[in-house]
Amino acid sequence: MRIGFYQFAPILGNKVANLEKIERTLNTLNTDLIVLPELATTGYLFKSRAALMPLAEKIPDGETTQLLLKIAKKKNFAIVCGLVEKENNNLYNSAVLVTPQGKVYTYRKAHLFFEEKLIFKPGNIRYRAVKYKNTKLGIIICFDYMFPEATRSLALDGAEIICHPSNLILPFGERVTISRAIENRVFFIMANRVGFEKIGKKQVQFWGRSQIISPTGEILAKAGADNEEVQVVNVYHKLASNKNVTKYNNIFKDRRVDLYYQD
Ligand code: ACM
């Protein structure tokens, strides 16, 4: 199965240009799955909730999901893409998974980072693996990687490939996501963005270095720190269904839920 990421720099607030660029690039690809960054259609750094509201969309009726569905059908691959979702006057930092068969699955970021808490409502959709082809996919968004329970929930539900649309800012994400892959024995596609955004005194540098990690922690693909690029690799996804670490150790069966802290 071919899986990949598209690392790029969305133009802040210019959804038309971002969607055009996404369509142009995806139309050139030959893959089974492609993952785009968090908030790929709008950019990240907004002054206020009110400023972001006009760019927010319903899923699946909004223009982003409809465009992605069209591309997925035409190109015969699944797409995971971050976007701003609007529902009942609430904004969510969401990602959609669309398939060539027309299926749409939504995930809403549960663990909001820093001032995202002033803009978005935290996600309210349970972690669930989604069937695609002969495998199952799971989605977490950016800062969710810091909460091992999120990836673990998806892996326990059978996800073999974790899709991770990101706008990473903290320096250790690159290393922590390798742990998430190893401890769950899953493939992990970290699709980060590049570029710089500034609004008033606020500014953010995104650090790229998107990566695809194997269930044993090997880096199968790695992007640069500031260039826009697509990388696609061929993986045998069933490697992720083997949870045995040694003859005597199975990463799931050895869990001691009876001893773990429960809130
Ligand atoms: C982040 O969660 N966008 C850092």
Side-chain angles (χ1 to χ4, degrees):
M1 180 159 173
R2 290 155 302 176
I3 63 175
F5 57 75
Y6 174 28
Q7 168 175 299
F8 72 107
I11 301 168
L12 187 64
N14 193 340
K15 193 157 77 175
V16 173
N18 294 329
L19 286 177
E20 272 174 20
K21 182 168 178 165
I22 288 168
E23 183 171 19
R24 216 168 36 242
T25 303
L26 296 195
N27 268 329
T28 67
L29 302 186
N30 182 14
T31 186
D32 295 300
L33 169 67
I34 189 81
V35 184
L36 276 58
E38 176 184 17
L39 299 176
T41 62
T42 57
Y44 182 74
L45 200 57
F46 282 88
K47 203 158 65 183
S48 64
R49 196 173 171 280
L52 189 53
M53 191 55 98
L55 296 170
E57 301 179 36
K58 290 206 168 123
I59 299 173
D61 298 337
E63 58 185 324
T64 297
T65 311
Q66 289 303 311
L67 174 70
L68 296 176
L69 275 168
K70 187 183 92 179
I71 301 169
K73 275 183 200 161
K74 178 173 155 205
K75 297 292 295 181
N76 196 29
F77 54 65
I79 306 166
V80 174
C81 177
L83 76 166
V84 183
E85 182 192 0
K86 178 161 68 178
E87 190 204 53
N88 299 333
N89 215 36
N90 292 317
L91 296 184
Y92 295 95
N93 182 341
S94 296
V96 281
L97 160 65
V98 303
T99 72
Q101 291 73 36
K103 191 155 120 179
V104 177
Y105 168 76
T106 308
Y107 169 68
R108 296 172 172 162
K109 185 175 184 177
H111 307 95
L112 297 174
F113 179 71
F114 194 52
E115 292 180 349
E116 288 173 26
K117 293 194 175 192
L118 308 178
I119 291 183
F120 298 108
K121 234 176 124 64
N124 50 7
I125 295 177
R126 284 187 78 85
Y127 289 99
R128 190 165 63 80
V130 184
K131 281 204 183 94
Y132 172 59
K133 287 189 175 259
N134 205 8
T135 186
K136 277 185 165 185
L137 310 178
I139 303 176
I140 62 169
I141 299 178
C142 204
F143 194 52
D144 285 327
Y145 75 89
M146 282 290 280
F147 300 82
E149 297 88 343
T151 309
R152 174 53 56 95
S153 299
L154 291 166
L156 285 171
D157 195 32
E160 295 178 330
I161 302 170
I162 303 296
C163 306
H164 183 218
S166 295
N167 281 186
L168 285 161
I169 293 164
L170 301 175
F172 40 74
E174 207 177 347
R175 283 172 284 146
V176 176
T177 50
I178 297 172
S179 300
R180 293 293 89 83
I182 295 172
E183 71 201 5
N184 292 291
R185 294 179 82 86
V186 288
F187 289 94
F188 197 105
I189 308 170
M190 187 253 267
N192 197 14
R193 61 161 289 176
V194 287
F196 175 78
E197 287 182 357
K198 183 168 170 24
I199 283 198
K201 288 197 179 117
K202 294 191 222 172
Q203 56 183 57
V204 193
Q205 178 72 52
F206 302 96
W207 49 256
R209 304 207 281 272
S210 297
Q211 56 188 3
I212 302 177
I213 310 157
S214 80
T216 44
E218 287 89 19
I219 309 292
L220 305 176
K222 179 100 188 170
D226 46 26
N227 41 318
E228 301 195 329
E229 58 184 289
V230 172
Q231 291 205 32
V232 174
V233 294
N234 217 328
V235 299
Y236 178 54
H237 57 85
K238 285 296 158 200
L239 283 180
S241 63
N242 177 5
K243 304 299 180 189
N244 296 323
V245 178
T246 73
K247 198 162 102 177
Y248 298 104
N249 295 104
N250 180 287
I251 208 80
F252 285 174
K253 291 190 186 135
D254 283 0
R255 294 165 66 236
R256 289 296 308 274
V257 180
D258 56 323
L259 302 182
Y260 300 155
Y261 182 82
Q262 314 237 345
D263 292 333

